[in-house]
Every structure is written in structure tokens, then in C-alpha cells.
């Protein structure tokens, strides 16, 4: 259909029994890979993801590189994702990408295209973690204090839709997690099939406190810092 498809991966899955042919499958179908690697240092990754996950992730990256992913002479795209380990804003995306590229190449000969820095959203697992540590209010103050109105021009909900596994529509993945459905003038929850007759232009995006996560500092979206 000529549709660009992205696979969001934790990399470790590619080493699991029954999923080891995933890299070849993705390459055969020209699927872009966006893979989470919270640090280029083993200690930090294993601390966040569990022991051994860094080694598994590097193994998967090497496999992807061997198929052409992230290589300059290939059309197969491999992007990495960084998010802070705690309640802080991500560092500037450009310099961090340079650090990742240098370290991964020197240590393992691993290549990738771009690094996306993503702000942790104060919802779901991270939100609960903050609540349990008594840091929720402090983190929200940080996000609100770093609000940049310019980011409103490029937040991803202006141009993307999020679709859940049943076909229902949301402004973004975060609203989907929070079950905040797309707002229209209809009484029913909008579904993918409704797009044949529903013009979405002009309806308000459903915003709430978590939206400060997208608009703080350099901004954040599924494609990393806004404007980069
Ligand atoms: S969290 Fe809010 S600002 Fe961010 S994409 Fe979703 S609706 Fe837009």
C-alpha cells in the first residue's frame, strides 16, 4: 500500500526464542526500527531494564547493522530512543546523539541513524513510580516551569492519530493509555472506519496535565525533541 511502517522495539525481544527471525522479517518489509536504549553504558541499562539486557540489546543492534539497518549505504532506518532514568528533562538531543554514536561505534562497531530524546510522561508506570517515591508534584513543577509555548506548533497530536488494537482513535499514544478518546461532534467513540465520512479538522485536541511532558524544554514527541 506504500505505507511507511515503524516497529517500536525494546531490542531484547529479537533474542527471545521464537522471535529471532524478526530482524530479517523487518528488513524484508523495509520497516523502520525505532529502538529503546536508555544509555550507551551497560551499568545504566541493566539497572533500568534488568541484568543482561544491555548485552542482548547490543547483540540485536549488531544483527540489525549486518542486515543494513543504520548503515550509511542502506535505506533501512534504525533510530534509537533515550529517556531520562529519573524525574529530570532529557539533555539536548544533538550532543547526546554524538555521544551515543561515538561510544557505540568505538565499543562495538554499532551504527544507527538518529537518537530521539523523549521526556518521561507523568502517567502510567512512571507516574506511579513518582507517586510511590513522593516525587510526582516536584516533577510536575519541573515540567510546568520548563513550558515552552513554541512547542505547541509541533506537538505530534497536531498531525498524527493514535489507533488502539480495536481501531478506536486518540490524539496520541498517551491519551490512548489514559483512555481519553478523540473528541468529535459525534456521541460515539470515533473509530478508524468513521474516517471514511468524518472530517477531523476543527475539533479540539484533548489536553490535560500530562501534555506538559510534550511541551517542556526542547519538547518531546515520538520523533524526539521538537524542531530537531
Ligand atoms: S500528550 Fe498532549 S500535547 Fe502530547 S501529543 Fe498527547 S495530546 Fe498532544
Amino acid at each position: 500500500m506504500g505505507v511507511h511502517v515503524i516497529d517500536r522495539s525494546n531490542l531484547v525481544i529479537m533474542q527471545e526464542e521464537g522471535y529471532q527471525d524478526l530482524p530479517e522479517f523487518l528488513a524484508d518489509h523495509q520497516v523502520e526500527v525505532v529502538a529503546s536504549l536508555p544509555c550507551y553504558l551497560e551499568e545504566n541499562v541493566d539497572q533500568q531494564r534488568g541484568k543482561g539486557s544491555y548485552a542482548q540489546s547490543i547483540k540485536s543492534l549488531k544483527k540489525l547493522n549486518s542486515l543494513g539497518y543504520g548503515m550509511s549505504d542502506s535505506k533501512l532506518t534504525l533510530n534509537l530512543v533515550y529517556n531520562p532514568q529519573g524525574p529530570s528533562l532529557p539533555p539536548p538531543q544533538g550532543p547526546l546523539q554524538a555521544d551515543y554514536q561515538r561510544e557505540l561505534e568505538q565499543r562495538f562497531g554499532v551504527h544507527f541513524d538518529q537518537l530521539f530524546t523523549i521526556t518521561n510522561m507523568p502517567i502510567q508506570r512512571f507516574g506511579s513510580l513518582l507517586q510511590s517515591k513522593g516525587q510526582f508534584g516536584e516533577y510536575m513543577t519541573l515540567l510546568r516551569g520548563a513550558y515552552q509555548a513554541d512547542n505547541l506548533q509541533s506537538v505530534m497530536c497536531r498531525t498524527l492519530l493514535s489507533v488502539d488494537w480495536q481501531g478506536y482513535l486518540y490524539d496520541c499514544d498517551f491519551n490512548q493509555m489514559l483512555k481519553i478518546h478523540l473528541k468529535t461532534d459525534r456521541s460515539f467513540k470515533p473509530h478508524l472506519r468513521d474516517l471514511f465520512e468524518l472530517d477531523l479538522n476543527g475539533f479540539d485536541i484533548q489536553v490535560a496535565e500530562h501534555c506538559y511532558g510534550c511541551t517542556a524544554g526542547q519538547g518531546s514527541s515520538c520523533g524526539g525533541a521538537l524542531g530537531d
Side-chain angles (χ1 to χ4, degrees), residues 61-95:
L61 287 173
K62 284 184 170 175
K63 175 72 184 178
L64 289 166
N65 280 171
S66 74
L67 294 166
Y69 272 103
M71 307 307 280
S72 52
D73 56 351
S74 156
K75 286 193 177 136
L76 293 172
T77 306
L78 170 62
N79 293 322
L80 298 184
V81 172
Y82 163 90
N83 62 294
Q85 310 213 9
S88 57
L89 291 175
Q93 185 167 273

Side-chain angles (χ1 to χ4, degrees), residues 121 155-157 171-172 174-175 205-207 210-211 214:
M121 281 294 187
V155 282
M156 59 184 174
C157 48
D171 289 304
C172 68
F174 308 118
N175 284 7
I205 292 169
Q206 301 267 57
V207 295
H210 62 285
C211 296
C214 293

Side-chain angles (χ1 to χ4, degrees), residues 8-184:
R8 299 192 160 264
S9 175
N10 65 6
L11 293 172
V12 174
I13 185 72
M14 295 175 185
Q15 302 301 320
E16 294 280 329
E17 193 64 41
Y19 294 94
Q20 283 153 345
D21 58 350
L22 203 49
E24 281 87 356
F25 175 83
L26 295 171
D28 286 350
H29 294 276
Q30 306 272 301
V31 174
E32 176 182 336
V33 175
V34 178
S36 175
L37 189 70
C39 189
Y40 49 76
L41 296 174
E42 182 167 11
E43 189 187 330
N44 291 341
V45 174
D46 281 3
Q47 193 183 3
Q48 194 182 99
R49 289 274 173 81
K51 201 163 165 40
S53 53
Y54 182 78
Q56 301 279 70
S57 300
I58 296 294
K59 226 169 157 184
S60 299
L61 287 173
K62 284 184 170 175
K63 175 72 184 178
L64 289 166
N65 280 171
S66 74
L67 294 166
Y69 272 103
M71 307 307 280
S72 52
D73 56 351
S74 156
K75 286 193 177 136
L76 293 172
T77 306
L78 170 62
N79 293 322
L80 298 184
V81 172
Y82 163 90
N83 62 294
Q85 310 213 9
S88 57
L89 291 175
Q93 185 167 273
L96 188 63
Q97 174 174 307
D99 289 346
Y100 263 68
Q101 277 168 331
R102 184 190 63 247
E103 295 296 326
L104 291 178
E105 186 176 357
Q106 277 177 7
R107 288 161 195 251
F108 309 105
V110 160
H111 299 269
F112 65 94
D113 293 293
Q114 277 183 280
L115 177 76
F116 299 151
T117 57
I118 295 186
T119 303
N120 286 320
M121 281 294 187
I123 57 171
Q124 304 289 95
R125 203 163 135 245
F126 189 68
S128 307
L129 189 73
L130 291 175
Q131 296 275 14
S132 67
K133 291 183 166 179
Q135 295 175 325
F136 188 84
E138 199 183 312
Y139 188 59
M140 284 311 302
T141 305
L142 173 75
L143 295 183
R144 279 197 209 99
Y147 172 71
Q148 297 289 335
D150 286 354
N151 288 329
L152 294 178
Q153 298 307 318
S154 37
V155 282
M156 59 184 174
C157 48
R158 295 181 72 118
T159 49
L160 297 176
L161 279 180
S162 175
V163 186
D164 72 15
W165 67 278
Q166 291 175 303
Y168 292 105
L169 305 176
Y170 307 81
D171 289 304
C172 68
D173 291 357
F174 308 118
N175 284 7
Q176 182 188 143
M177 287 180 216
L178 294 168
K179 307 240 178 308
I180 303 173
H181 289 267
L182 199 74
K183 186 176 168 188
T184 66

